[in-house]
Amino acid sequence: MTSTYGEVEVSAQGLPEWLLPVARLAETIEPRQLSRFLPPEQGGGRPSAVLVLFGEGPAGPELLLMERSGSLRSHAGQPSFPGGALDPEDGDPEEEGPLRAALREAEEETGLDPSGVQVFAVLPRLYIPVSGFVVTPVLGWWRRPTPVGPVDLAETARVFTVPVADLTDPANRATTVHPSGHRGPAFLVGSALVWGFTAGVIDRILHYAGWERPWDRAKRVPLDWRA
């Protein structure tokens, strides 16, 4: 299926075989299968988007992540997908806006060349209560990788890729307990603890793509795991 939102084409044609389960899940998944935090029915919330970018690295399939600067007021030091709030020039939040915003933010934060990214699907919009963001996860295939790294150290501490094999490894999986009491999935990969919204999206993609391996859900890891 191919469609176009503004200047951004959405197409699943030519994807590598291993990525097809992710493209297929995006066609049928319901919002509540992704998260219990959904946009307010009465509207509101700040439209935003993240780029869930799959690539092919030395260790096989991988995901692009970044670590936010420790000096930021929101989500300081937290690993995340590239992304952020829509700007007026991104366009309609109900149409092409999230696609443009995801690519624009990824370029601004990591320096990647958006022309090398093939957007192949969009997941249902989700909600982050603590920040009030209504987030559209935009799924991309890094068909022509370009060098990446922090563009502005005041915003981005580092940019890195994580092999999907590390994310599916049961030894790297755990549950975090937020001070609010909320429990959620987490991934201990390299020197990063991926948790919160980002880990939740990764967890659901692994599950519905059929990549998930049994893991110990009783294993707990504190958010200050480095302390």
Side-chain angles (χ1 to χ4, degrees), residues 98-132:
L99 304 176
R100 289 178 175 170
L103 294 173
R104 174 185 56 75
E105 286 281 347
E107 181 178 19
E108 292 176 359
E109 293 174 330
T110 74
L112 69 75
D113 182 353
S115 68
V117 175
Q118 176 183 339
V119 174
F120 66 88
V122 177
L123 295 180
R125 288 178 295 178
L126 304 174
Y127 188 58
I128 303 180
V130 67
S131 61

Side-chain angles (χ1 to χ4, degrees), residues 49-153:
V50 294
L51 181 63
V52 184
L53 185 59
F54 291 90
E56 187 91 47
E62 61 185 15
L63 265 179
L64 179 70
L65 296 176
M66 51 175 275
E67 185 176 310
R68 301 196 175 278
S69 170
S71 61
L72 292 176
R73 288 189 300 174
S74 178
H75 307 295
Q78 188 173 346
S80 68
F81 301 118
L86 270 66
D87 284 347
E89 58 267 29
D90 292 324
D92 191 340
E94 301 294 330
E95 296 185 11
E96 79 286 349
L99 304 176
R100 289 178 175 170
L103 294 173
R104 174 185 56 75
E105 286 281 347
E107 181 178 19
E108 292 176 359
E109 293 174 330
T110 74
L112 69 75
D113 182 353
S115 68
V117 175
Q118 176 183 339
V119 174
F120 66 88
V122 177
L123 295 180
R125 288 178 295 178
L126 304 174
Y127 188 58
I128 303 180
V130 67
S131 61
F133 282 124
V134 175
V135 186
T136 300
V138 176
L139 305 183
W141 160 238
W142 210 359
R143 56 181 171 78
R144 193 174 68 249
T146 48
V148 291
V151 174
D152 183 355
L153 289 174

Side-chain angles (χ1 to χ4, degrees), residues 8-224:
V8 182
E9 182 181 66
V10 180
S11 173
Q13 296 179 0
L15 293 179
E17 192 75 22
W18 61 264
L19 195 49
L20 294 180
V22 180
R24 285 193 290 265
L25 78 84
E27 295 175 357
T28 59
I29 199 162
E30 297 292 332
R32 289 217 172 270
Q33 292 178 291
L34 285 173
S35 175
R36 65 186 179 94
F37 298 113
L38 302 181
E41 293 183 3
Q42 69 273 20
R46 188 176 184 186
S48 62
V50 294
L51 181 63
V52 184
L53 185 59
F54 291 90
E56 187 91 47
E62 61 185 15
L63 265 179
L64 179 70
L65 296 176
M66 51 175 275
E67 185 176 310
R68 301 196 175 278
S69 170
S71 61
L72 292 176
R73 288 189 300 174
S74 178
H75 307 295
Q78 188 173 346
S80 68
F81 301 118
L86 270 66
D87 284 347
E89 58 267 29
D90 292 324
D92 191 340
E94 301 294 330
E95 296 185 11
E96 79 286 349
L99 304 176
R100 289 178 175 170
L103 294 173
R104 174 185 56 75
E105 286 281 347
E107 181 178 19
E108 292 176 359
E109 293 174 330
T110 74
L112 69 75
D113 182 353
S115 68
V117 175
Q118 176 183 339
V119 174
F120 66 88
V122 177
L123 295 180
R125 288 178 295 178
L126 304 174
Y127 188 58
I128 303 180
V130 67
S131 61
F133 282 124
V134 175
V135 186
T136 300
V138 176
L139 305 183
W141 160 238
W142 210 359
R143 56 181 171 78
R144 193 174 68 249
T146 48
V148 291
V151 174
D152 183 355
L153 289 174
E155 292 191 2
T156 307
R158 65 185 179 117
V159 178
F160 59 104
T161 56
V162 177
V164 171
D166 288 356
L167 295 168
T168 59
D169 186 344
N172 296 333
R173 305 213 55 182
T175 298
T176 55
V177 181
H178 192 270
S180 67
H182 173 68
R183 296 182 180 184
F187 300 84
L188 286 155
V189 283
S191 60
L193 172 65
V194 183
W195 61 281
F197 174 85
T198 302
V201 172
I202 294 173
D203 172 77
R204 295 295 80 196
I205 288 176
L206 297 183
H207 177 76
Y208 288 108
W211 295 348
E212 185 178 41
R213 297 163 58 189
W215 57 283
D216 182 6
R217 296 174 186 271
K219 178 182 175 183
R220 300 282 187 265
V221 60
L223 295 182
D224 59 348

